[in-house]
Amino acid sequence: MNTQLPLEGMPRRLYSCTPSRLNAWLDCRRRYRFTYLDRPQPSKGPAWAHNSVGASVHNALAGWWREPYERRTPLTAAVLLTNGWITEGFKDAEQSGRWLGRARDLVSGYVATLDPADDPVGVERTVATRTKVVALSGRIDRLDRRGDELVVVDYKTGRRPLTQDDARSSLALAAYAIAASTMMRTPCRTVELHHLPTGEIVQWRHTEESLTRHLRRAEEIASEAAEADERYREVVGTPARKAAA
């Protein structure tokens, strides 16, 4: 049997991933292996209600911006949320109905604070960037243009209040800012977390240095994960799955 050995000095293949994959490696190696490496993939288990709420809200807000200007109203947001409501993970229909009502209030209240004429640069926009080590890609909830710069907007529906440190330390938001700036050739240093339950907007403005630190950190994590992937393949003898969200 021919075994092709890597040539000395040859560059390592780029590690293609999303910020979610990098964070999965940091948070739980076991979950990372289950999600991205094991084949056949283990059962994910029952759905979680909070994931259904978050997905339903995100879908409704994305759909709201795709409506014509005259239909961008709080009522339209509530209708989109109702029509696209995801029922998985709830204990029963009554619990689902209660959360549907809360989610309707969230989206209608939030869009009431927006200017329907202020079209974003992108909604659910996929962006990507690469270095000599990692190829990062991901999807931004909303990308705004404010003056001569772009702003990354990320919706949050969880109960926990957010702090400025959440925006400052987010690897995903920093990666999105770098990728958006690269792809659109427009500066993008500001990132925002929009917390729908409280209406609070948490903002952080990066510097070139802080964005570079995040990118270097992403490369470090990617290198660790890539080495672990290779060890896994050597033991299991099956190819690892390509980049996944």
Side-chain angles (χ1 to χ4, degrees):
M1 181 177 73
N2 290 332
T3 302
Q4 186 174 358
L5 298 175
L7 297 177
E8 184 176 355
M10 288 291 289
R12 184 192 294 270
R13 180 183 301 177
L14 287 182
Y15 185 78
S16 298
C17 63
T18 63
S20 295
R21 181 165 181 160
L22 296 181
N23 285 326
W25 170 256
L26 287 178
D27 294 341
C28 179
R29 307 296 166 85
R30 187 168 180 264
R31 178 166 62 88
Y32 174 90
R33 178 170 61 83
F34 284 172
T35 304
Y36 298 107
L37 300 179
D38 280 351
R39 293 295 174 272
Q41 191 172 8
S43 173
K44 294 182 179 180
W48 293 92
H50 69 271
N51 289 336
S52 294
V53 172
S56 299
V57 168
H58 279 71
N59 292 340
L61 292 176
W64 189 82
W65 283 112
R66 297 185 183 111
E67 292 287 332
Y69 166 76
E70 62 275 9
R71 283 184 48 79
R72 292 177 187 168
T73 65
L75 177 59
T76 296
V79 170
L80 290 170
L81 188 283
T82 302
N83 291 343
W85 183 244
I86 301 171
T87 60
E88 295 179 356
F90 295 98
K91 181 176 64 175
D92 50 33
E94 181 182 356
Q95 185 187 51
S96 176
R98 288 198 306 271
W99 277 99
L100 171 58
R102 295 176 188 176
R104 269 198 301 256
D105 291 341
L106 285 185
V107 297
S108 59
Y110 176 69
V111 302
T113 68
L114 303 177
D115 180 356
D118 191 14
D119 284 306
V121 174
V123 173
E124 295 290 328
R125 175 68 182 263
T126 297
V127 293
T129 190
R130 63 175 55 197
T131 71
K132 295 180 179 180
V133 176
V134 64
L136 270 171
S137 63
R139 191 166 58 187
I140 302 173
D141 290 343
R142 198 175 88 216
L143 187 63
D144 290 349
R145 183 185 295 275
R146 301 182 197 164
D148 296 329
E149 296 191 3
L150 302 175
V151 175
V152 173
V153 174
D154 192 58
Y155 304 131
K156 293 298 182 183
T157 58
R159 295 180 178 180
R160 181 179 70 84
L162 302 176
T163 67
Q164 197 173 57
D165 190 57
D166 291 312
R168 179 192 62 80
S169 63
S170 172
L171 175 63
L173 293 182
Y176 297 155
I178 294 168
S181 179
T182 301
M183 292 180 64
M184 308 193 73
R185 299 182 180 181
T186 304
C188 183
R189 295 177 182 171
T190 301
V191 298
E192 291 181 349
L193 297 172
H194 290 206
H195 191 235
L196 273 65
T198 62
E200 184 178 12
I201 295 176
V202 178
Q203 183 187 90
W204 181 258
R205 182 169 176 81
H206 281 288
T207 63
E208 289 298 324
E209 291 76 14
S210 65
L211 288 174
T212 299
R213 285 196 298 270
H214 275 287
L215 195 56
R216 296 291 85 81
R217 179 59 175 148
E219 289 180 328
E220 292 173 1
I221 301 168
S223 295
E224 291 178 7
E227 291 177 4
D229 291 359
E230 290 178 5
R231 291 195 299 270
Y232 176 89
R233 288 194 293 269
E234 290 172 359
V235 172
V236 177
T238 57
R241 182 170 146 195
K242 293 183 179 180

